[in-house]
Amino acid sequence: MKLTSVPGYFSNYEELAQIPGQTNYAYTKIVSPGDDGVKRKNWQELLDSLPAGHKVFLVARHGQGYHNLIVDTYGEPEWDRYWSKLNGDGELEWFDAHLTELGIKQVERTGSLIFNGQLDGVVPDVFYCSPLRRCIETFHNSWNQVANLQERGITDHDYDTIELNILEGLRETIGEHTCDKRQPISKTFKEYNLINFDQKNNAKKNSDLRLKLNYLPVYTEEDLLWKADQRETNDEIDKRLSKCLQHIWEREKASGSNNKLISITCHEGVIQSILRVLNHESIPRFETSGVVALVVKEDEEK
């Protein structure tokens, strides 16, 4: 099985780069009409018009984490040479990094402008996420407005609890950098499962939304994949993401549901790999809290 992206549904990097003042963090604007001549005014019409066997991956990068802040502070060369190998600098810690205050504001913006604005009440059918803390915090702070959709009369569904499927395959590039080492599952589960977030967990308690963490196999309590002296190559992460996306695809097919909109919360390295694996046009720099929408289909391998 080979998955590939289908162009012509959403604005691309080159188009957005021509718009003065465009931040280029959101690649989710619907192109109307598409290459197939079908006019789509909104997300619901787009989903309704998808050919059979096509789905939309709504892929979000986490907001600024403390490791990103240190990269900005010392520069990328010094980060790669020295700081990335440490857990912190004596003041800040970035092992399995939390979001910064700016990171929280960034993903709240994404939630307001994209998930609660542009999607206009359309909610993904299923949610997948990296196991690293910055992604779990990103998901909560960007999707917390979903909990208010019922009050606004947009949906009859009660979204006070969302099941978040945690996939090890969605982790950032593995190895060397301590920010990308996963803390034990039991600790993350205790911090986030069915808990209303608060400042203790570096996230705001601004809704009643709770996350039910569903760790999909295969997991180990401790992180056995991360190595201090070896980091994944692009080829290695592409093989990992190809298997991960196929796992998501097969899981959705096996569920018997007609899920068309799939949410994925992850990392820049993962998103760049997804774009390569799906043969999608490149996005040279994917900003923290950025979002890209991809129409995906299954091709038979020859």
Side-chain angles (χ1 to χ4, degrees):
M1 178 182 67
K2 180 177 175 55
L3 300 177
T4 184
S5 66
V6 183
Y9 285 86
F10 298 99
S11 55
N12 59 33
Y13 175 79
E14 296 297 333
E15 292 169 338
L16 289 177
Q18 303 303 314
I19 303 175
Q22 173 65 45
T23 60
N24 292 336
Y25 84 95
Y27 304 88
T28 55
K29 183 179 178 182
I30 296 172
V31 176
S32 180
D35 288 349
D36 56 4
V38 177
K39 291 186 177 181
R40 309 172 187 89
K41 296 180 181 179
N42 55 48
W43 271 74
Q44 190 59 59
E45 289 186 2
L46 183 148
L47 294 172
D48 290 342
S49 69
L50 282 179
H54 289 52
K55 301 181 186 297
V56 177
F57 287 172
L58 188 61
V59 187
R61 184 189 178 192
H62 62 77
Q64 184 196 61
Y66 280 103
H67 62 306
N68 302 123
L69 175 60
I70 295 301
V71 173
D72 293 341
T73 301
Y74 294 108
E76 196 156 350
E78 277 300 295
W79 164 258
D80 287 332
R81 184 190 71 84
Y82 179 71
W83 294 106
S84 64
K85 315 296 195 300
L86 305 179
N87 286 338
D89 63 357
E91 294 184 7
L92 300 177
E93 182 177 310
W94 50 82
F95 164 74
D96 196 352
H98 287 291
L99 294 184
T100 65
E101 290 186 11
L102 174 59
I104 293 172
K105 291 179 180 179
Q106 289 176 335
V107 299
E108 286 178 339
R109 173 196 64 181
T110 298
S112 177
L113 297 180
I114 306 301
F115 301 153
N116 200 37
Q118 196 176 97
L119 268 66
D120 193 27
V122 173
V123 178
D125 300 298
V126 63
F127 302 91
Y128 292 91
C129 186
S130 160
L132 299 183
R133 290 186 290 186
R134 56 190 181 271
C135 287
I136 296 174
E137 292 172 1
T138 290
F139 181 87
H140 182 272
N141 282 281
S142 56
W143 283 104
N144 55 37
Q145 295 180 66
V146 172
N148 300 324
L149 292 179
Q150 187 179 34
E151 295 179 8
R152 294 168 52 201
I154 294 176
T155 178
D156 294 330
H157 191 88
D158 185 2
Y159 285 108
D160 65 335
T161 301
I162 288 180
E163 182 172 86
L164 188 59
N165 297 296
I166 307 296
L167 272 175
E168 189 90 291
L170 293 175
R171 289 174 56 171
E172 182 59 291
T173 310
I174 300 172
E176 293 187 354
H177 297 184
T178 60
C179 59
D180 302 326
K181 185 176 182 181
R182 170 175 61 76
Q183 72 172 6
I185 289 177
S186 59
K187 186 173 181 180
T188 301
F189 197 81
K190 183 177 180 180
E191 287 179 342
Y192 301 113
N193 188 59
L194 298 178
I195 303 259
N196 287 325
F197 283 21
D198 55 31
Q199 289 295 340
K200 177 183 64 177
N201 285 325
N202 205 38
K204 294 182 179 179
K205 184 180 178 182
N206 52 3
S207 82
D208 293 327
L209 176 64
R210 299 183 302 172
L211 305 181
K212 181 181 179 181
L213 302 186
N214 178 30
Y215 283 85
L216 300 179
V218 173
Y219 267 91
T220 58
E221 168 68 2
E222 302 290 338
D223 185 356
L224 302 181
L225 299 178
W226 186 90
K227 294 179 176 61
D229 58 352
Q230 184 178 344
R231 189 161 175 81
E232 280 182 311
T233 64
N234 280 350
D235 285 344
E236 289 170 335
I237 192 173
D238 286 356
K239 289 180 181 178
R240 168 161 64 91
L241 262 298
S242 179
K243 291 181 180 178
C244 184
L245 294 181
Q246 289 180 19
H247 173 76
I248 291 173
W249 195 267
E250 293 291 353
R251 185 174 186 266
E252 293 307 309
K253 288 174 62 175
S255 71
S257 61
N258 189 30
N259 291 344
K260 291 184 177 181
L261 182 56
I262 298 172
S263 165
I264 298 175
T265 305
C266 54
H267 311 261
E268 182 183 22
V270 172
I271 294 172
Q272 297 295 358
S273 179
I274 288 175
L275 298 179
R276 293 191 298 266
V277 166
L278 296 180
N279 197 30
H280 189 278
E281 66 160 0
S282 64
I283 299 176
R285 174 65 178 173
F286 205 84
E287 302 294 335
T288 48
S289 78
V291 186
V292 59
L294 311 167
V295 173
V296 181
K297 68 174 183 177
E298 177 182 343
D299 285 338
E300 293 185 5
E301 291 187 284
K302 298 180 180 179

